[in-house]
Amino acid sequence: MTDYNFETLAIRQGHQQSSFQEHSEAIFTTSSFTFKSAEEAAARFSGEEPAHFYTRVSNPTIACFQDRLAALEGGESCVATSTGMAAILAVMLGLLKAGDHVVSSRSIFGTSTLLFSHYLTKFGIEFDFVELSDLTAWQQALKPNTRLLFAETPSNPLTEIVDINALSEIAHQNDSLLVIDNVFCTPVLQKPLALGADIVVHSATKYIDGQGRCMGGAVVGNKKLVGEEIFGVLRNGGISMSPFNAWVFAKGLETLKLRMQAHCDNALQLANWLQQQASVEKVYYPGLADHPQHTLAKKQQSGFGGIVSFVVKGGKDQAWKIVNHLKMLSITANLGDTKTTITHPATTTHGRLSQEQRDNAKIADGLLRISVGLENINDIQNDLARGMK
Ligand SMILES: *Cc1c(COP(=O)(O)O)cnc(C)c1O
């Protein structure tokens, strides 16, 4: 279906009707598939005759989600995983060995930092962390054994942006691979593979579901890296997605573009409104003209996303006051939901860091992060205004 446009692929790609000719995609909740004969069993197990035989390895509902997301990201292969972290783990286990070196952005999802620095280092993989938007720092951190560069753009919670195309050139000159965590933009707003990245990772838990129901992840890239090497980690390591979750995510992709556009519209309005509030010191949103990478965001992304962060005057006390006067916004660290959520990073997602580490990461005590949902923008603003008053 590759000659269809994005919106069409999001709705129709990957659906393989069963003999019942169902119109909506079916959910195949079965752990195994039967064989007509011993010969068929042997041929399917060996891979000589491709077919689904065990859901840890493959399943029609999971395949539907994988095909659909691969088409939207413009990749040859996609593997679905049990969570977003499982997707990142699968990339690392599939592509790295002891003695390899990785350069990663410092501004990545907190659990990704812990996975790299506490666990993967135990297996002899070495990590260096650099400032996301500083291309010179990336270049200088490279070593002959650097196999992989890892970045998340825009970053969480400060929406910092790196030039994916320039970073891919730095990676490829060193024979390294570039992996981009595309959770914040989704393929609706940003296509890392077209910009030169080798692999895209997702937490489907966020915008792909979009309604805060299921955990899942995915890796997209070429047949060799993703379809063989990373798929092997899933098949043998068992961090596969459940068919029910795959069905939720496949259906989520059908409305992803409309939802992302609505998230972007609400977020831009909220960012502009926040800039006008007397109690707000600074607003972080790539759609604002004073964002340091506003021009790059316009070039690299087709929208600015749904995450807005801002610093309240008066530090933690004033930030907590706003949070505690909310009647509607959900106080939770999840993001990418129809429901607007708010967090105080310094005492939650970044609470395990030292004050110095938080200062380096620019996580101010008065910083609040909002994942702007799809409620009416006036209701979102009124809820925040209550606490500010
Ligand atoms: C949530 C998130 C992850 C991890 O995904 P889970 O589904 O929670 O395992 C990775 N990267 C980013 C940017 C995220 O927001």
Side-chain angles (χ1 to χ4, degrees), residues 83-86 88 109 112 152 156 181 183-184 202-206 215-217 334-335:
T83 64
M85 288 319 304
I88 295 171
F109 191 63
S112 304
E152 186 182 310
N156 179 18
D181 180 329
V183 169
F184 273 36
H202 271 289
S203 165
T205 317
K206 313 294 168 56
M215 303 287 307
N334 194 29
L335 60 92

Side-chain angles (χ1 to χ4, degrees), residues 80-97:
T81 54
S82 54
T83 64
M85 288 319 304
I88 295 171
L89 179 66
V91 168
M92 299 296 167
L93 292 182
L95 304 182
L96 301 174
K97 59 180 188 320

Side-chain angles (χ1 to χ4, degrees), residues 15 22 25 59 86 105 112 175 247 266 272 318 336 340 344 363:
H15 183 199
E22 69 284 356
E25 297 76 354
N59 168 289
S105 160
S112 304
D175 279 333
W247 177 79
N266 264 1
N272 281 319
Q318 296 303 317
T340 299
H344 180 246
I363 307 295

